[in-house]
Amino acid sequence: METLHINAADRAGKYLELLPQLRGLLVGESDLIANLANTAAAIHQTFGFHWVGFYLVKDSELVLGPFQGPVACTRIGFGKGVCGTAWKENQTQLVPDVDLFPGHIACSSLSRSEIVVPLRNTKAEVIAVLDVDSSLLNDFSEEDRGYLEEICALITQNL
Ligand code: SME
């Protein structure tokens, strides 16, 4: 598949069209970086969010992985910022207003709200996080959490 086809106007409709196409892109490819790269591109292309990307757990830090959007911080410590908190808590972080999140790491002043979803191996250890940043305040809901967690599970199902 070379092109995504998204016709829905609403966000839930877009996720429902994106999921099977993403499944098609990921199935049969075992290389994690290749799959993270296409997933970041697909989410960014579908929704137009400010920044979509992955940080990978490497030793005691998160290190920047495949992403779409402006250049970003390369390393984030355990428990630091929204990404480091998602890693530490092993739980999705939904942040309606980044200015109200203690210790938020401002890679871009345009980011107003964000959601960070952990990716886990079969031992339920966090191996990476998906970070989606929006230039709009309060842009993410439980609906995004559900679909983005489904997308992360899709990526890690063969790991
Ligand atoms: N907002 C993140 C930092 C990463 S970037 O915004 C791409 C955080 O506080 O974890």
Side-chain angles (χ1 to χ4, degrees), residues 102-142:
H104 173 254
I105 300 164
C107 288
S108 163
S109 58
L110 290 175
S111 285
R112 304 295 307 281
S113 60
E114 66 179 86
I115 182 164
V116 178
V117 180
L119 279 73
R120 306 179 181 96
N121 62 15
T122 49
K123 290 187 245 165
E125 298 159 340
V126 178
I127 55 150
V129 299
L130 165 64
D131 179 357
V132 183
D133 298 349
S134 172
S135 55
L136 305 176
L137 209 54
N138 201 12
D139 201 14
F140 301 104
S141 67
E142 288 303 317

Side-chain angles (χ1 to χ4, degrees), residues 16-146:
L16 289 172
E17 289 183 338
L18 174 61
L19 270 162
Q21 295 179 67
L22 199 52
R23 205 170 279 126
L25 269 172
L26 303 183
V27 76
E29 177 50 68
S30 60
D31 188 90
L32 178 63
I33 298 298
N35 286 338
L36 298 181
N38 259 342
T39 302
I43 296 172
H44 190 261
Q45 192 186 328
T46 300
F47 301 102
F49 294 128
H50 177 63
W51 197 91
V52 181
F54 294 90
Y55 282 89
L56 294 142
V57 173
K58 292 194 178 169
D59 301 320
S60 57
E61 286 178 313
L62 289 171
V63 182
L64 184 63
F67 71 94
Q68 297 276 313
V71 294
C73 337
T74 53
R75 288 170 190 270
I76 297 174
F78 185 68
K80 302 290 182 197
V82 186
C83 292
T85 302
W87 176 19
K88 184 178 174 186
E89 309 278 327
N90 195 339
Q91 207 175 331
T92 297
Q93 304 294 309
L94 205 166
V95 181
D97 181 348
V98 296
D99 290 336
L100 301 180
F101 189 92
H104 173 254
I105 300 164
C107 288
S108 163
S109 58
L110 290 175
S111 285
R112 304 295 307 281
S113 60
E114 66 179 86
I115 182 164
V116 178
V117 180
L119 279 73
R120 306 179 181 96
N121 62 15
T122 49
K123 290 187 245 165
E125 298 159 340
V126 178
I127 55 150
V129 299
L130 165 64
D131 179 357
V132 183
D133 298 349
S134 172
S135 55
L136 305 176
L137 209 54
N138 201 12
D139 201 14
F140 301 104
S141 67
E142 288 303 317
E143 181 178 83
D144 295 283
R145 178 202 297 267

